[in-house]
Amino acid sequence: MQSDLSAARFSEKPPSSSALASRQRTRRSAFVGVSLIVFLAFLSTKLQGLRKTRFGGYPQQFLSSASTAVCPQVDALFPNRNADLWETTLQQTASSHFKARSIDLLAGAVQIPTESYDAMQPVGVDPRWDVFGEFHAYLARVFPLVHANLKLQKINTYGLWYEWTGLNSTLKPVLFTAHQDVVPVGPFTGGEWTHPPYSGYFDGHRVWGRGSADDKNGLIGILTAIETLLENGFTPTRTIVAAFGFDEEASGLEGAGELAKVLLGAYGQDGLAFIVDEGDGISKTFGTVVAYPCVAEKGYLDVVVEVTSPGGHSSVPPDHTASPGFALAFTVLTLVFADHRYSRRSPRPVRGQSVPRAARTLSRASVPFQTFQCLAQYGSTLPPAIKALIADSVNSDMALHTLEGILSKDKLYRSQIGTTQAVDVVSGGVKSNALPEEAHAVVNHRILAESSVSAVREHNVALLQPLAEKFNLSFNAFGVGVSQPGVPSSGNLTLRDLSDALEPAPVTPTNGEISAPYQVLSGSIKAAYNTRRAANNDNSTLIVAPSIMSGNTDTQFYWKLSPHIFRYGHGNSAGLGPEDILDGIHTVNESIDADDFVEIIRFYITLMLNADESSVL
């Protein structure tokens, strides 16, 4: 990799002068199922016999010398041309003064309750947006060099677009993004917080409050990195862009949705070298420290299932087959139990027609498959039988199927390897003595990258058409008449979208000549991590494994800007118990480790400098 990433120095260890005091930390990412670790340990004994009876033994070469092509790694990447500046920033960010200043910056941001809600009225109409003006004034005050040296445009009033113009306009810019808004604090949860949710309280170890981990740590981290580079006289060669939406927690249409339009106009399709947004971080998994940049993101589809039929007095009920409430109950049970994650079996074909595959199996082309290969290759405590099974799944369909079955035992891993569906809303009827004239359910789908919105819609149609026939209902699905009973129908079964559907995101390349941005990111992650472990004589090795984002970030609006999109937060939290494993994100007691936050800033500085001098982006 050294020759491919020229213009930068690679090394297993950072320069000795960059050693910084730290403690080793662990964080759970989307791929770290605590319950699965216990389960795999138990299962490994079973698989020892299975490998002999069903597979005739797994290839031992996978256990002794796994191919690096399965999970390619680059060395830590340190700035070369900007080496002196990088060393200076390392010393600066290691100081107690810098840490205290960074804590104050984040705490101040947390103290401004920039909450976004579902179904808010447009900017300028709904007064709940006004708090973002206060937040902007805060940013202008605490980041004076950023606001004096970068171009700032406000899009749709509260969207922030910063541009730090580089000296070489032929180089593609890089985009760092985060969101200003936070999820509201539940009105009845105030007493459950260790420290008030908008206090920004620092207890000597952690900063507490809504937004501290999602996502003001990213926003303040990016701006602090830029402010620090400006303080040291840096002028970028490659343009650096920062864009901050303000309603990510409520779909992102007003913020990133509008920002994307102007960014596309300014930089053009595929006009950015790469994009980094919030996402997974670092975790100790099977004895190995692993960083999980998300290079894919699931699609999204909400389907309304509606049943209607004539009502009446409950004292004279119709046959059950004519009751919309009864039909809906069967529909919901079918959705919940018959095929709830699309990856064990498909519904029975209707009238001899084939049913589309909606990511029914773990695919070798999928990002989760790459992740598991990395864990098998580098996970030091992964049970040998499981490691062999994962390795064998590269070529053996039977091993692949067995692996899928094992992963399906854990709900977290199960959600990663297939399209999921969840019945989230069910309603019907208005009075205990009146037959319901309408009943409906809302079903949420998270769509795997190998599937599509159309495949999931078709799957729903195939799954529910037998029910329409069973209950003698006319069936209309997504604006198309599917079936009409030969006799007068008892009612209607309708499927429709609740809101705009989202296709799965394009997958960012992680291998081959077109994967240079992923390599630069990986090397920068390792360099930032190494700066903390060196001073502690910590010999742990960080590996980088691509992963998939189950939720959706503001990057859903940025697909046209770059084929290289990373959802990564460099979180590396310390000693959290299972109940706090996600730093209280979207719930009570949201907080972040202060040393962790400083490392996040250092990561952004490292990546900005590496990208600035890279000749391969």
Side-chain angles (χ1 to χ4, degrees), residues 114 116 123 129 132 135-136 139 153 155-162 175-182 215-216 219 222 242-260 263 277-278 553-555 557-558:
T114 51
S116 63
V123 173
W129 296 117
F132 288 91
F135 187 64
H136 291 185
L139 296 179
Q153 296 187 47
I155 309 303
N156 196 18
T157 306
Y158 297 121
L160 298 175
W161 170 24
Y162 294 89
L175 171 62
F176 296 87
T177 184
H179 58 88
Q180 306 169 56
D181 60 312
V182 299
D215 179 36
K216 288 181 177 176
L219 188 152
I222 292 168
F244 306 130
F246 56 91
D247 64 337
E248 192 271 349
E249 302 292 2
S251 79
L253 291 170
E254 298 286 331
E258 295 299 319
L259 279 164
L263 293 175
D277 195 10
E278 63 173 333
T553 69
D554 275 342
T555 58
F557 299 101
Y558 298 150

Side-chain angles (χ1 to χ4, degrees), residues 539-557:
N539 294 322
S540 61
T541 298
L542 175 77
I543 72 159
V544 179
S547 67
I548 186 170
M549 193 88 173
S550 293
N552 300 115
T553 69
D554 275 342
T555 58
Q556 64 181 286
F557 299 101

Side-chain angles (χ1 to χ4, degrees), residues 124-271:
V125 177
D126 197 319
R128 290 176 292 182
W129 296 117
D130 295 348
V131 68
F132 288 91
E134 179 184 349
F135 187 64
H136 291 185
Y138 172 76
L139 296 179
R141 177 170 59 84
V142 299
F143 296 110
L145 294 180
V146 168
H147 288 83
N149 291 274
L150 274 64
K151 298 177 184 177
L152 171 61
Q153 296 187 47
K154 296 189 178 182
I155 309 303
N156 196 18
T157 306
Y158 297 121
L160 298 175
W161 170 24
Y162 294 89
E163 181 183 276
W164 195 2
T165 306
L167 298 174
N168 188 343
S169 61
T170 66
L171 299 177
K172 286 187 176 183
V174 292
L175 171 62
F176 296 87
T177 184
H179 58 88
Q180 306 169 56
D181 60 312
V182 299
V183 296
V185 174
F188 305 108
T189 64
E192 300 178 29
W193 286 75
T194 302
H195 302 286
Y198 291 111
S199 64
Y201 182 80
F202 178 56
D203 63 4
H205 177 52
R206 302 183 71 81
V207 178
W208 295 78
R210 177 66 82 229
S212 58
D214 181 24
D215 179 36
K216 288 181 177 176
N217 59 325
L219 188 152
I220 299 299
I222 292 168
L223 291 180
T224 304
I226 295 174
E227 186 85 2
T228 302
L229 291 173
L230 285 166
E231 289 173 349
N232 287 280
F234 177 66
T235 300
T237 302
R238 182 189 303 273
T239 294
I240 296 174
V241 182
F244 306 130
F246 56 91
D247 64 337
E248 192 271 349
E249 302 292 2
S251 79
L253 291 170
E254 298 286 331
E258 295 299 319
L259 279 164
K261 298 174 184 177
V262 297
L263 293 175
L264 186 61
Y267 305 113
Q269 185 162 342
D270 295 339

Side-chain angles (χ1 to χ4, degrees), residues 26-29 31-45 283-288 290 292 372 375 379-384 386 406-407 409-413 578 581:
T26 60
R27 178 183 176 92
R28 178 182 181 179
S29 76
F31 275 96
V32 184
V34 175
S35 60
L36 184 62
I37 296 174
V38 178
F39 174 76
L40 289 180
F42 166 78
L43 192 66
S44 62
T45 303
S283 171
K284 191 168 186 178
T285 313
F286 299 117
T288 301
V290 186
Y292 294 97
F372 299 131
L375 295 180
S380 60
T381 63
L382 188 68
I386 299 296
I406 292 173
L407 297 172
K409 301 298 183 182
D410 180 86
K411 67 178 182 179
L412 184 63
Y413 281 73
I581 207 72

Side-chain angles (χ1 to χ4, degrees), residues 158-499:
Y158 297 121
L160 298 175
W161 170 24
Y162 294 89
E163 181 183 276
W164 195 2
T165 306
L167 298 174
N168 188 343
S169 61
T170 66
L171 299 177
K172 286 187 176 183
V174 292
L175 171 62
F176 296 87
T177 184
H179 58 88
Q180 306 169 56
D181 60 312
V182 299
V183 296
V185 174
F188 305 108
T189 64
E192 300 178 29
W193 286 75
T194 302
H195 302 286
Y198 291 111
S199 64
Y201 182 80
F202 178 56
D203 63 4
H205 177 52
R206 302 183 71 81
V207 178
W208 295 78
R210 177 66 82 229
S212 58
D214 181 24
D215 179 36
K216 288 181 177 176
N217 59 325
L219 188 152
I220 299 299
I222 292 168
L223 291 180
T224 304
I226 295 174
E227 186 85 2
T228 302
L229 291 173
L230 285 166
E231 289 173 349
N232 287 280
F234 177 66
T235 300
T237 302
R238 182 189 303 273
T239 294
I240 296 174
V241 182
F244 306 130
F246 56 91
D247 64 337
E248 192 271 349
E249 302 292 2
S251 79
L253 291 170
E254 298 286 331
E258 295 299 319
L259 279 164
K261 298 174 184 177
V262 297
L263 293 175
L264 186 61
Y267 305 113
Q269 185 162 342
D270 295 339
L272 300 178
F274 63 73
I275 300 170
V276 178
D277 195 10
E278 63 173 333
D280 287 347
I282 298 173
S283 171
K284 191 168 186 178
T285 313
F286 299 117
T288 301
V289 181
V290 186
Y292 294 97
C294 294
V295 298
E297 191 171 272
K298 281 191 167 186
Y300 186 100
L301 174 66
D302 279 328
V303 175
V304 177
V305 183
E306 185 176 69
V307 181
T308 61
S309 72
H313 199 284
S314 62
S315 64
V316 188
D319 294 337
H320 284 313
T321 55
S323 167
F326 195 75
L328 179 66
F330 266 81
T331 300
V332 170
L333 288 173
T334 299
L335 291 169
V336 171
F337 294 111
D339 198 20
H340 68 284
R341 65 178 181 82
Y342 296 83
S343 57
R344 294 302 301 155
R345 61 184 184 278
S346 63
R348 288 176 295 178
V350 179
R351 294 179 181 151
Q353 299 297 314
S354 62
V355 177
R357 287 181 55 156
R360 289 190 288 110
T361 58
L362 175 62
S363 166
R364 292 186 180 94
S366 69
V367 174
F369 187 78
Q370 294 181 55
T371 307
F372 299 131
Q373 292 299 326
C374 287
L375 295 180
Q377 183 171 337
Y378 294 103
S380 60
T381 63
L382 188 68
I386 299 296
K387 182 177 289 194
L389 176 66
I390 295 174
D392 200 40
S393 67
V394 173
N395 299 304
S396 167
D397 291 342
M398 187 176 293
L400 183 68
H401 180 73
T402 302
L403 175 63
E404 180 196 3
I406 292 173
L407 297 172
S408 299
K409 301 298 183 182
D410 180 86
K411 67 178 182 179
L412 184 63
Y413 281 73
R414 182 173 64 237
S415 71
Q416 304 301 317
I417 64 174
T419 294
T420 61
Q421 65 184 31
V423 180
D424 293 328
V425 178
V426 178
S427 66
V430 296
K431 190 70 169 61
S432 62
N433 61 352
L435 297 173
E437 296 173 311
E438 183 272 341
H440 76 272
V442 178
V443 186
N444 173 253
H445 304 76
R446 301 299 175 124
I447 308 169
L448 197 62
E450 291 72 50
S451 186
S452 66
V453 170
S454 63
V456 174
R457 286 184 180 134
E458 292 174 32
H459 177 92
N460 277 268
V461 172
L463 190 64
L464 297 183
Q465 187 170 350
L467 287 176
E469 297 174 354
K470 176 181 177 66
F471 292 108
N472 194 37
L473 302 171
S474 299
F475 187 19
N476 184 286
F478 309 106
V480 177
V482 178
S483 62
Q484 181 70 36
V487 297
S489 67
S490 300
N492 301 286
L493 171 61
T494 302
L495 302 184
R496 59 181 173 84
D497 291 350
L498 177 64
S499 56

Side-chain angles (χ1 to χ4, degrees), residues 498-513:
L498 177 64
S499 56
D500 291 341
L502 178 67
E503 294 286 355
V507 178
T508 296
T510 59
N511 286 292
E513 295 181 359

